[in-house]
Amino acid sequence: MLRRRRFLKLAAAAAALPITSRVTYAQSYPTRPIKLVAPFPPGGSIDLTARLIGQWLTDRLGQQVVIENRPGAGGNLGSESVALSPPDGYTLLLCSVANAISATLYTKLGYNFARDFAHVAAISRAPNVMVVHPSVPATNVREFIAYAKANPGKVNMGSSGVGTSIHISGEMFKMMTGIDMQHVPYRGSAPMLTDLLGGQVQVAFDNLQPSIPHIKSGKLRGLAVTTTTRSASLPDLPPIQPGVHPSSDPRQRDARPHSADRA
């Protein structure tokens, strides 16, 4: 049986894969194409990361890594499909913070995240970003809070699905600020972004990668990132915490919208 160290050696780097079913590997692994399941729709951060890692592995393993999008239930449908797949090392899962959230949010899942998978390696880390449609009259977090409080229940908050980091970040923001926003869940980040760009929803706490081009083009307005420090990818955006609690040191507070993703 080849366990974690041997698998990583075969994959050619410790940054190879986030997760795989518990399996018995043959010495010649892989001898056929590998399926990497992205449990969210095309166009979101999980899908983008899966395709980058899939190509990277294909080049190094000499076998095609095929990306299969299996969205639904906040990533749980795709995750369950991998947990129930044959334990032969040819069906892999690109997991994310959504899996950790689901493990605590749902009392009944078709799989056990800690028991049914062999966790191989972390491959990326990124914050979420608070973005608004340009029609929203706010250029920073405090202005948005004031606007939302002046319009209770009229601001639509999009997410990539119930229980995802985008949803949880938004709900934490609501709790911390006392504002009333309507949650509109979608089946993934890509369709949510489409409606955010069209103005059907006004705000989202999206994963960083899909939002960057829209922020830089001016089609969306970035207000803040959900970590306590700025992101190198969007250095002009401040951390969200000072805008929520301007008199506090964000490092000393436990309750904060925060997503260290993904993947």
Side-chain angles (χ1 to χ4, degrees):
M1 174 178 286
L2 302 181
R3 294 190 180 275
R4 176 186 171 109
R5 184 175 299 175
R6 178 58 176 161
F7 182 84
L8 291 177
K9 184 177 180 182
L10 291 171
L17 293 170
I19 197 166
T20 180
S21 300
R22 296 191 182 277
V23 296
T24 300
Y25 297 104
Q27 293 291 334
S28 57
Y29 175 88
T31 60
R32 54 186 172 86
I34 299 168
K35 179 169 67 177
L36 176 58
V37 174
F40 288 92
S45 62
I46 297 298
D47 175 68
L48 296 174
T49 303
R51 296 185 186 282
L52 288 171
I53 292 300
Q55 186 58 56
W56 189 91
L57 285 172
T58 295
D59 295 341
R60 285 156 179 78
L61 295 178
Q63 289 288 345
Q64 185 70 32
V65 176
V66 180
I67 309 304
E68 179 179 302
N69 295 92
R70 298 200 65 174
N76 287 316
L77 293 184
S79 299
E80 182 176 352
S81 73
V82 176
L84 299 177
S85 66
D88 56 9
Y90 288 91
T91 303
L92 312 175
L93 173 69
L94 188 64
C95 67
S96 69
V97 67
N99 292 101
I101 292 172
S102 293
T104 57
L105 189 63
Y106 297 101
T107 57
K108 292 183 180 180
L109 287 173
Y111 65 96
N112 184 299
F113 186 59
R115 181 195 64 208
D116 294 338
F117 299 102
H119 303 264
V120 178
I123 59 173
S124 69
R125 177 174 295 179
N128 284 7
V129 57
M130 183 179 180
V131 287
V132 297
H133 187 268
S135 64
V136 175
T139 59
N140 57 54
V141 174
R142 273 181 260 183
E143 289 179 358
F144 179 84
I145 294 172
Y147 172 74
K149 286 187 174 181
N151 296 274
K154 296 181 180 179
V155 176
N156 292 325
M157 178 190 77
S159 84
S160 56
V162 174
T164 60
S165 68
I166 299 174
H167 175 212
I168 298 300
S169 294
E171 293 297 335
M172 290 182 68
F173 185 80
K174 289 165 61 177
M175 291 175 60
M176 294 165 67
T177 59
I179 62 177
D180 178 19
M181 298 188 293
Q182 297 297 319
H183 175 222
V184 183
Y186 291 81
R187 289 188 55 140
S189 175
M192 180 271 295
L193 270 176
T194 297
D195 275 7
L196 181 59
L197 289 165
Q200 285 80 15
V201 294
Q202 289 75 51
V203 63
F205 295 79
D206 194 25
N207 301 143
L208 187 70
Q209 300 95 321
S211 286
I212 288 176
H214 302 301
I215 293 172
K216 290 186 174 181
S217 70
K219 294 179 180 179
L220 295 177
R221 184 183 303 129
L223 300 187
V225 292
T226 60
T227 42
T228 57
T229 58
R230 293 175 184 258
S231 168
S233 299
L234 292 170
D236 293 337
L237 296 189
I240 201 171
Q241 188 73 24
V244 177
H245 297 285
S247 62
S248 71
D249 181 346
R251 293 171 297 179
Q252 297 177 348
R253 301 189 65 88
D254 292 328
R256 61 183 182 272
H258 178 263
S259 171
D261 201 355
R262 317 243 162 270

